[in-house]
């Protein structure tokens, strides 16, 4: 055991709605979870009236309606602001905001003037203390330094208040980083920068919307110092976010109810149900819910299309801000090189779709949008403690990337050691008749079978018109950009149906992992090759046998008996090999299998000729 040379610097996203802590080590950035596996900590603190913090996080959030005057949410809105300045925001808060020392905004707990006051710094410190404890438990080491993120528009007083909150929590805030800069850093932007780039960061959270235009300029080669992020413009709305979507759903759920008769508990139940429905609709096309209220039960079904109709104007408002930010930066949408999505609300498919339309390019979505700011703060922490050298920041693709095919083999699309950026396409088809959807599993590794590789993610290409097996033409494109972000898209040529997904192939991989996977591939090379060949032969032979049997049914009376014996003999031989290979892929001779398939191909030529001649003669 030797003491760590560089005490870790964690990254903290101190959010209006949720906060989280992350660390960046040789596995890259990752969020630190609590014992129950939760990463997000609701930024809510419940006090008792004498000013002692009672509960932080989920518990406090659950009690918010019950104790509206002593449960402090969204305190970030008050950080470093004077009472008069914060007055407009105070109207949105359930607790009382009064003037404290130096005219600053503070919270008065409870209803009476005798209630204690707490400063926004103290409330934030309670959240930071919780995150510090969580990080220490997860890392098994004491944590005393952090990079904390702040909105790009925060002024000096607001940044200083954030540092003070850290100090109260026993954390030295070694740097405050702009949230959009952190989001870009999480994607590796700036860390291996060779050319100047312009980035738009679109951040739609629970109660706020921010869009920032950043310019990144390359620093010294090999020096990951991040001083070259410049904020060109910011725009947004401090009262627009996921909460608005929840309210719209609450209105819908409570349409026929007497609102005056609803208790605070009812309101809380409606809001919780609304948020759940909204989140479910980011995945599903329709969701039904029953909510038990003091006056009875309400039930409702909402479809994705209905939600999108409700949210249309809400999304368009954010796009207006995007246009303003572009105008302020004196740029057009085409001049933006990358778009980064941040905030839980960017999981709403309509948001992704509209942002893509406005900027004319697919946005970065590979990382969790509610984690990306904390992850970037952790990257900044690693840069500052010198740890970033251990991170897998590569100019080449360390392990091959491919797609799982019928039978479980891997079709490699991009080979290992290809330079980034890299692009490649490959054609695929279906293995079963009338398949209307295809699951595409993206894998990484050098082994020949998908089960022996690392699955990076999967997606479904849906809505294909029913066609015989082997007929659909699915073009799959792999595109790894300069930051190592992989975009996989699939399009079926006949129907034009498309789908895609984005992942980061190096995420969670260490140098050692790469070396090990390479070694394993070498050890198993011969066996793997045999298996891949046999699995492909089985899939292709099955299709051939099926096509031939179907044709044969139609033209049998027009073929000579001697030829029929030859053809059926070749088919039977191949069928036998398929059966044996399926039972034991090791036991078949792949060369003999291949020859049997060729023999059937050759034998079937005459049948195809007769079949075509008959079709032509009507
Ligand atoms: P903040 O930056 O304000 O702290 P977050 O980035 O954590 O907020 O975003 C919180 C918001 O994201 C909430 O309104 C939550 O309902 C919303 N949200 C989280 N997941 C989803 C999802 N899958 N679909 C839609 N909205 C979501
Ligand atoms: Mg946020």
């Amino acid at each position: 055991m030797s003491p760590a040379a560089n005490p870790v610097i964690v990254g903290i996203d101190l959010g209006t709605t949720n906060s989280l802590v992350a660390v960046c080590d040789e596995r890259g950035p990752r969020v630190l979870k609590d014992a129950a596996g939760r990463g997000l900590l609701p930024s809510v603190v419940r006090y008792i009236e004498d000013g002692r913090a009672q509960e932080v996080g989920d518990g406090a959030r659950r009690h918010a309606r019950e104790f509206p005057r002593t449960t402090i949410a969204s305190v970030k809105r008050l950080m470093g602001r004077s009472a008069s300045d914060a007055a407009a925001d105070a109207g949105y808060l359930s607790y009382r905001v009064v003037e404290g020392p130096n005219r600053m905004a503070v919270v008065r707990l409870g209803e009476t003037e005798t209630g204690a006051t707490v400063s926004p710094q103290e409330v934030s410190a309670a959240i930071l203390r919780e995150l510090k404890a969580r990080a220490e438990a997860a890392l098994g080491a004491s944590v005393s330094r952090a990079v904390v993120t702040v909105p790009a528009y925060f002024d000096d007083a607001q940044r200083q208040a954030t540092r003070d909150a850290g100090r109260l929590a026993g954390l030295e805030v070694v740097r405050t980083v702009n949230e959009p800069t952190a989001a870009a850093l999480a994607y590796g932007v700036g860390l291996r920068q060779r050319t100047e780039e312009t980035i738009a960061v679109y951040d739609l959270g629970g109660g706020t919307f921010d869009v920032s235009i950043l310019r990144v300029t390359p620093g010294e080669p090999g020096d990951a110092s991040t001083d070259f992020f410049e904020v060109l413009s910011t725009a947004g709305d401090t009262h627009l976010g996921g909460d608005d979507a929840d309210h719209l759903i609450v209105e819908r759920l409570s349409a026929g109810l007497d609102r005056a008769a609803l208790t605070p508990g009812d309101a809380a139940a409606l809001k919780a149900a609304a948020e759940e429905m909204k989140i479910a609709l980011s995945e599903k096309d329709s969701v039904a819910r029953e909510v038990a209220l003091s006056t009875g039960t309400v039930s409702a079904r909402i479809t994705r299309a209905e939600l999108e109709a409700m949210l249309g104007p809400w999304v368009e408002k954010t796009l207006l801000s995007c246009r303003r930010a572009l105008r302020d930066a004196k740029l057009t949408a085409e001049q933006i090189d990358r778009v980064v999505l941040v905030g839980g609300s960017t999981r709403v498919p309509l948001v992704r779709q509209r942002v893509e339309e406005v900027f004319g390019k697919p946005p970065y979505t590979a990382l969790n949008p509610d984690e990306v700011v904390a992850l970037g703060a952790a990257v900044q922490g690693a840069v500052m403690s010198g740890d970033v050298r251990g991170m897998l920041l590569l100019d080449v693709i360390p392990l091959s990337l491919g797609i799982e095919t019928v039978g479980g083999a891997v079709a490699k699309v991009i080979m290992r050691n290809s330079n980034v950026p890299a692009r490649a396409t490959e054609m695929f088809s279906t293995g079963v008749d009338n398949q209307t959807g295809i699951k595409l599993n993206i894998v990484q590794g050098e082994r020949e079978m998908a089960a022996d590789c690392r699955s990076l993610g999967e997606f479904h290409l849906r809505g294909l018109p029913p066609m015989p097996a082997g007929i659909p033409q699915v073009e799959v494109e792999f595109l790894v950009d300069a930051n190592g972000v992989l975009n996989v898209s699939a399009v079926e040529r006949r129907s034009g149906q498309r789908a895609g997904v984005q992942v980061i192939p190096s995420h969670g991989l260490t140098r050692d992992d790469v070396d090990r996977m390479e070694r394993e591939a070498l050890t198993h090379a011969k066996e793997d090759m045999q298996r891949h060949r046999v699995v492909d032969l089985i899939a292709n032979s099955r299709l051939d046998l099926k096509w031939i049997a179907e044709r044969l049914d139609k033209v049998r009376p027009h073929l000579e008996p001697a030829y029929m014996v030859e053809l059926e003999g070749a088919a039977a031989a191949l069928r036998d090999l398929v059966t044996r290979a399926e039972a034991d892929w090791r036991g078949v001779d792949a060369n003999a299998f291949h020859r049997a398939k060729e023999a059937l191909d050759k034998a079937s030529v005459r049948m195809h000729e007769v079949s075509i001649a008959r079709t032509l003669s009507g």
Side-chain angles (χ1 to χ4, degrees):
M1 277 273 275
S2 63
N6 291 314
V8 65
I9 302 179
V10 295
I12 292 179
D13 172 5
L14 187 58
T16 310
T17 317
N18 294 303
S19 298
L20 56 172
V21 58
V23 72
C24 179
D25 52 22
E26 85 282 357
R27 275 198 281 151
R30 64 198 157 94
V31 166
L32 300 174
K33 311 267 167 83
D34 70 2
R38 288 171 300 197
L40 294 185
L41 176 73
S43 306
V44 185
V45 184
R46 182 165 76 83
Y47 286 86
I48 43 182
E49 288 201 19
D50 68 2
R52 267 183 296 157
Q54 193 69 3
E55 267 184 310
V56 180
D58 276 311
R61 183 176 139 141
R62 266 198 308 278
H63 287 118
R65 300 271 170 164
E66 211 178 315
F67 305 105
R69 297 302 217 183
T70 49
T71 306
I72 316 305
S74 301
V75 80
K76 189 173 179 179
R77 296 184 184 282
L78 305 177
M79 288 287 275
R81 298 179 73 195
S82 68
S84 59
D85 208 16
D89 275 291
Y92 290 87
L93 304 171
S94 67
Y95 47 90
R96 293 201 308 155
V97 179
V98 299
E99 195 171 273
N102 301 320
R103 314 216 135 152
M104 300 306 279
V106 296
V107 176
R108 166 91 64 200
L109 299 170
E111 302 292 346
T112 65
E113 299 312 314
T114 56
T117 58
V118 287
S119 67
Q121 289 89 323
E122 290 173 286
V123 182
S124 293
I127 297 165
L128 290 172
R129 217 172 279 125
E130 187 76 21
L131 293 174
K132 177 179 189 280
R134 179 182 288 193
E136 289 177 336
L139 296 171
S142 84
V143 171
S144 59
R145 300 198 293 165
V147 168
V148 180
T149 58
V150 293
Y153 59 75
F154 256 28
D155 62 21
D156 284 342
Q158 291 169 300
R159 284 166 202 258
Q160 188 54 48
T162 304
R163 275 188 219 103
D164 292 343
R167 197 170 34 76
L168 290 175
L171 281 171
E172 180 199 349
V173 178
V174 291
R175 184 173 293 185
T176 56
V177 176
N178 290 329
E179 286 161 10
T181 301
L185 274 172
Y187 278 105
V189 172
L191 293 178
R192 43 185 140 194
Q193 207 69 28
R194 292 205 196 84
T195 52
E196 187 174 285
E197 268 191 37
T198 313
I199 323 274
V201 182
Y202 176 106
D203 181 349
L204 188 56
T208 57
F209 171 65
D210 297 300
V211 54
S212 315
I213 312 287
L214 308 179
R215 176 174 295 144
V216 194
T217 36
E220 290 296 308
D223 177 7
S225 118
T226 51
D227 290 334
F228 41 86
F229 278 90
E230 183 190 351
V231 180
L232 299 182
S233 67
T234 65
D237 188 328
T238 52
H239 290 283
L240 180 84
D243 288 342
D244 302 304
D246 302 344
H247 288 152
L248 290 168
I249 298 174
V250 166
E251 304 245 305
R252 167 75 196 258
L253 293 176
S254 58
L257 303 177
D258 174 8
R259 302 235 171 110
L262 295 178
T263 64
D266 290 342
L270 284 168
K271 159 90 175 152
E275 186 174 7
E276 269 173 38
M277 291 178 90
K278 173 188 74 177
I279 289 173
L281 285 171
S282 290
E283 301 287 330
K284 295 190 195 146
D285 288 330
S286 153
V287 51
R289 264 298 299 248
E290 283 193 345
V291 193
L293 302 175
S294 56
T295 51
T297 303
V298 292
S299 60
R301 169 174 294 281
I302 300 182
T303 64
R304 164 100 56 96
E306 286 168 339
L307 179 68
E308 292 189 342
M310 290 192 248
L311 294 183
W314 174 76
V315 179
E316 293 312 309
K317 259 185 165 172
T318 68
L319 299 175
L320 277 180
S321 295
C322 292
R323 295 197 183 92
R324 180 149 23 101
L326 284 169
R327 209 166 48 235
D328 291 351
K330 301 193 173 54
L331 292 170
T332 62
E334 295 73 55
Q335 289 172 291
I336 300 296
D337 298 304
R338 290 173 211 288
V339 182
V340 177
L341 292 188
V342 184
S345 299
T346 60
R347 286 217 180 83
V348 174
L350 179 68
V351 170
R352 295 192 170 183
Q353 183 195 322
R354 292 293 293 132
V355 170
E356 176 163 353
E357 281 163 13
V358 164
F359 288 98
K361 50 188 68 71
Y364 273 1
T365 54
L367 298 172
N368 271 340
D370 34 28
E371 295 184 348
V372 60
V373 167
L375 295 175
V379 170
Q380 178 68 56
V383 167
M384 297 184 75
S385 64
D387 270 355
V388 82
R389 272 185 298 278
M391 259 174 84
L392 208 62
L393 287 174
L394 301 164
D395 296 330
V396 296
I397 289 158
L399 295 164
S400 301
L401 301 169
I403 288 275
E404 176 174 354
T405 59
V406 180
V410 177
K412 300 209 164 96
V413 181
I414 295 185
M415 292 300 166
R416 63 182 284 257
N417 287 336
S418 303
N419 288 316
V420 290
R423 168 186 242 129
T425 61
E426 195 72 54
M427 295 300 297
F428 294 92
S429 194
T430 49
V432 178
D433 282 347
N434 304 322
Q435 234 176 294
T436 56
I438 303 179
K439 188 178 90 178
L440 291 113
N441 182 19
I442 304 155
V443 298
Q444 172 180 46
E446 302 317 308
R447 301 287 301 274
E448 297 294 327
M449 300 305 291
D452 299 320
C453 293
R454 189 168 170 245
S455 175
L456 293 177
E458 53 181 47
F459 64 103
H460 289 264
L461 181 60
R462 294 200 174 88
L464 305 182
M467 285 184 263
I471 298 300
Q473 295 183 1
V474 181
E475 184 177 70
V476 176
E477 184 190 63
F478 276 48
L479 174 67
V480 184
D481 73 14
N483 297 314
V485 177
L486 166 66
N487 272 287
V488 180
S489 60
V491 53
E492 200 286 308
R493 289 252 186 92
R494 283 160 213 265
S495 57
Q497 286 292 338
R498 358 179 112 252
V501 75
Q502 201 184 71
V503 291
I504 301 183
S506 66
H507 211 69
L509 266 189
T510 65
R511 255 279 152 234
D512 288 348
D513 293 332
V514 173
D515 293 345
R516 178 180 48 77
M517 290 170 87
E518 226 173 273
R519 268 197 317 275
E520 281 173 5
L522 281 176
T523 322
H524 298 277
K526 209 163 153 219
E527 204 184 52
D528 274 8
M529 192 93 79
Q530 157 87 359
R531 184 151 187 204
H532 190 155
R533 241 185 119 196
V534 170
V535 160
D536 282 356
L537 278 166
I538 292 173
N540 293 329
S541 301
R542 283 174 149 280
L543 276 182
D544 282 2
L545 286 165
K546 183 173 151 292
W547 277 334
I548 288 170
E550 283 166 5
R551 285 249 161 125
L552 202 53
D553 270 353
K554 299 200 186 96
V555 295
R556 192 184 302 267
H558 309 282
L559 297 172
E560 310 79 31
Y563 172 67
M564 281 300 298
V565 170
E566 180 196 336
L567 182 62
E568 287 186 327
L574 186 61
R575 206 174 298 119
D576 177 49
L577 276 162
V578 168
T579 315
R580 276 168 42 206
E582 280 177 334
D584 174 19
W585 57 268
R586 280 190 187 84
V588 290
D589 175 349
N591 289 328
F593 197 168
H594 181 73
R595 281 196 302 275
K597 186 176 171 299
E598 301 247 285
L600 179 64
D601 272 353
K602 231 162 111 201
S604 65
V605 170
R606 165 131 187 84
M607 180 200 71
H608 288 300
E609 278 170 6
V610 171
S611 157
I612 289 164
R614 295 213 44 88
T615 320
L616 292 179
S617 67

